Structures are given as structure tokens and as C-alpha cells.
Amino acid sequence: MAVLRLAKRRDRHPATRYLVAMRFAVLLVLAFVSACRVSTDCEKGDPSCSTGALLLSAQRSYRMKAFYVCRTTNLDTYLVNADIVTPAQSQAIGASTSWMRTDLDGKYLYIQSSGNNVDWYSIDRDTGLIARVGTFAIALAGNYEPSPYYKNIMVASLGASKMRTFSIGSDGSLTTLFINQDPGSTSPGKFVFHPTLPVVYTLETSTVRIQDLAANGALTFRTTAAATATTTNIAIDPNGRYLAVANNAAPGIQLYTIDSTGGLSAPSSAAFTNISILAFDSTGSFLMAGNTALPGVTTVNIPAMQSVQTFNTGTLPTSVIADRGGKYVLVGNPAPTLFSLYQFTQTGGLPSVKYESVPTGNVTSVGMYSPYGF
């Protein structure tokens, strides 16, 4: 009993209570630091993130801070804050470009440059302003996309050279990993990645080619899905549920359901004509289809594949991109030269033009900077 009383007295001693409190505080700090680190990884799209970490980081969201417009020989930067658009930069690029991409971490911007090489720029995370870093000399025209699964890999379809994969260095530089020569492949065209699986979908003659991407950059053919012979573009739902293919003739748009392995169902179709470009909204509930005949962009609800509304965005829309935060849609037209930033509604409308410009020189491509965590 004496020993028990002594223990109780020691438990009540102020120094003992202080030590216990300090240990508890240290544990809380360690737990907080660990949670912040996991949340930061999830913000970058790490597929290994746990459910708890995703819920923690989900308290914040994407917000567009800047967009970029290539026009003939210039690359222009526009900053966006509280629906106010401010022209901020204009840099000479030497030649018009047909594509523009940011890496998945939002650190670098890539464009096709003079001689079909690739220029890359660093992006200031706080402002969205860019600074040229260097040129990757490849001298091959093609389509480039960063992998959302292996974030250090960029893939390109380069015509007769089939598919190539590149590693993305810490400075944004590209280094060739593989030249993927698939003997059963025709000349590959535009392609997209599954958002959560290492799967690539490539447009080819009358087919959608499905390939698996390995961590070392190798692509392995899996199968093909039937498509029409008049395909022009391809887009994927950001949630990985649907794949859409555009056609410049009937049936207009084909919609495939994606299964848990990345496989495709037989497509449903909708009767649209002269569809040249496609983009899903951030929820995958609507598809924006650029139509060169109407002219403009038609919003289509998914999966019903019914037209919601058509907006006259210019006679030859060749670029359309949706903000990952779900607020804006950016459309570019080379002839007549025009680009427009629209506010997107949850019912599929583009009722409000937030900014529109008719710059000197043809608008050849557009891009957005929408970092996570703001």
C-alpha cells in the first residue's frame, strides 16, 4: 500500500505532469508534419496516396492563376485573379506551335518550337509567370503528353517514329528513354493517358490502340478498340470513366466506357458533324466539342450524349481546354485570330465571356496553369 501511495504521489508531481504534457505535444507535432507531407504528395497527384491523405488535401482545390496563348511567333502570358484577366508577358518563340503542355506538378511549360523541337519554361508557382529554360532538340513533329501515373515520364507520338518516351529531369529537361516501335501499329496520332492507371489510348486508322506504360518508359501493346476512319481527336474523362473520340463525319462523337483495368466497351455514338476538338470538364459530366461548321463549341452532357448548347466561339476552333478547378473554358481560333475565356456553369453552359482578344498573328495553341492547393 505504501508503494502504491508513493506511485500516486509521483503521478501527481508537477514535474511528472509536465513531462507527460511535453511528450504528448511532441507526438502531435510529429503527426501534423507527417500529415502535411502526405497531403503535399497527394496534391501532386501521387497514385500511392492513402484515402485519409486525400481527404486531408481535399479541403483545398485547383484554381486557375494564368493562361498562355501561342500566336505565330509569340508566347503570351495572362494572369487571372478574381475573374480579372491581366496581360503580363509576351516572349518571342521563333515559330508557331501546334501544342502546349504543362507537367503534372505545374513546374514547367512545354511547347513545340522552331524546327519541331521542344522549348520548355519554368513556371512561377505564386504568379504563373514563365521563364525560358532551354530547348530539347528532337526535330520531329508530334503530340506530347505527361504521364499522370509516372510523373517523371513524358510520351510523344511522332508519326513514322511511332511512340517515344522521355524522362523529365529535375530541371524540366527531356531525355529519351524508349523508341517504342510496335510492328502492328500504323502511324500513331493524338493520344491520352488514363488519369489513374498506366494506360495509353492512341488514335490510329479506324482504331483506338490501348497500351500499358511501364515505369522504365516501355510501352506494351494490349489490344485495339474499333473506331471510324475519320477520327480527328480524343479526350478522356478526368475521373477515368469515359473516353471520347471525335470524327469529322458521321457519327460525330463516339463514347467508350472504361472498365477498372482500362479496357474499353463498344462505343455509343451521337450525330454531330465536323467535330475537330474535344475536352471534358473537370467533373466528366460534360464534353466540349469544337465544331468547324456551326461554328463554335457545343457542350454535350455525358453519358446521355445530348447537345446542351452551342456557342459561337469563332469559325475555326482548334484549341479548347477546361480549367481543373471547374470554373473556366479557354478556346483558341487561328482564323480569324481570336481567343476567349468563358466562365463555365454546372449545367454545361458558357454564358459569360470573361476575356476575349483578337491579337496580331494566328492563335495556334492555348494552355492553362491551374495549381492545386489554393
Side-chain angles (χ1 to χ4, degrees):
M1 291 296 292
V3 173
L4 180 59
R5 291 192 191 99
L6 180 60
K8 288 182 177 179
R9 289 191 189 101
R10 285 177 178 170
D11 285 344
R12 291 194 297 267
H13 194 280
T16 302
R17 291 196 298 272
Y18 174 78
L19 288 174
V20 171
M22 286 297 294
R23 287 173 183 166
F24 183 70
V26 169
L27 288 173
L28 282 177
V29 170
L30 289 174
F32 175 77
V33 170
S34 176
C36 286
R37 285 176 178 166
V38 174
S39 177
T40 300
D41 290 338
C42 289
E43 290 167 12
K44 296 178 180 178
D46 189 340
S48 64
C49 286
S50 67
T51 302
L54 286 172
L55 289 174
L56 179 65
S57 64
Q59 296 173 5
R60 289 173 287 179
S61 61
Y62 293 104
R63 180 170 70 84
M64 190 177 77
K65 303 191 76 173
F67 65 87
Y68 312 101
V69 177
C70 277
R71 53 178 181 89
T72 309
T73 57
N74 289 85
L75 172 59
D76 302 330
T77 301
Y78 296 82
L79 305 183
V80 182
N81 184 24
D83 290 340
I84 297 174
V85 177
T86 305
Q89 288 178 309
S90 184
Q91 303 184 42
I93 55 176
S96 61
T97 178
S98 61
W99 61 265
M100 179 191 309
R101 296 290 183 272
T102 59
D103 72 317
L104 270 297
D105 285 343
K107 295 179 179 179
Y108 299 101
L109 175 74
Y110 299 86
I111 67 169
Q112 180 180 306
S113 62
S114 179
N116 290 324
N117 295 317
V118 177
D119 287 352
W120 81 95
Y121 300 75
S122 62
I123 303 175
D124 185 287
R125 178 172 173 81
D126 294 327
T127 65
L129 296 174
I130 59 175
R132 190 176 181 278
V133 179
T135 297
F136 176 65
I138 188 170
L140 289 169
N143 301 287
Y144 288 66
E145 295 288 348
S147 164
Y149 195 87
Y150 301 115
K151 292 184 296 175
N152 64 327
I153 290 180
M154 179 87 77
V155 176
S157 62
L158 300 171
S161 297
K162 305 299 188 280
M163 306 287 286
R164 290 195 184 195
T165 53
F166 309 89
S167 63
I168 303 175
S170 59
D171 62 349
S173 59
L174 301 179
T175 302
T176 299
L177 290 175
F178 274 89
I179 300 175
N180 294 274
Q181 297 280 1
D182 186 342
S185 172
T186 59
S187 183
K190 295 182 179 179
F191 68 97
V192 291
F193 280 100
H194 191 286
T196 58
L197 297 173
V199 179
V200 181
Y201 305 93
T202 307
L203 276 185
E204 299 196 12
T205 305
S206 302
T207 63
V208 175
R209 198 169 188 82
I210 306 174
Q211 299 178 89
D212 295 294
L213 176 66
N216 65 358
L219 286 167
T220 303
F221 168 72
R222 185 195 297 188
T223 188
T224 59
T228 67
T230 59
T231 56
T232 57
N233 219 311
I234 189 170
I236 193 164
D237 162 26
N239 297 303
R241 299 169 300 176
Y242 303 106
L243 182 81
V245 171
N247 296 270
N248 60 16
I253 300 175
Q254 293 175 287
L255 187 71
Y256 302 80
T257 298
I258 304 174
D259 65 28
S260 60
T261 68
L264 301 179
S265 68
S268 58
S269 61
F272 296 90
T273 57
N274 298 296
I275 303 300
S276 59
I277 50 174
L278 292 174
F280 278 94
D281 80 309
S282 62
T283 67
S285 301
F286 297 96
L287 186 66
M288 281 148 284
N291 191 313
T292 58
L294 289 176
V297 171
T298 299
T299 53
V300 180
N301 59 7
I302 300 298
M305 296 277 280
Q306 296 174 336
S307 172
V308 177
Q309 195 169 357
T310 297
F311 301 87
N312 189 344
T313 61
T315 55
L316 291 172
T318 56
S319 300
V320 59
I321 185 170
D323 168 28
R324 290 191 293 178
K327 188 172 184 180
Y328 301 107
V329 172
L330 182 62
V331 181
N333 297 268
T337 295
L338 176 70
F339 68 89
S340 309
L341 183 71
Y342 294 85
Q343 185 163 342
F344 184 75
T345 71
Q346 297 305 307
T347 58
L350 302 175
S352 176
V353 179
K354 290 300 178 184
Y355 191 84
E356 195 163 72
S357 178
V358 183
T360 302
N362 289 339
V363 174
T364 56
S365 61
V366 296
M368 282 185 178
Y369 174 54
S370 300
Y372 194 90
F374 292 90

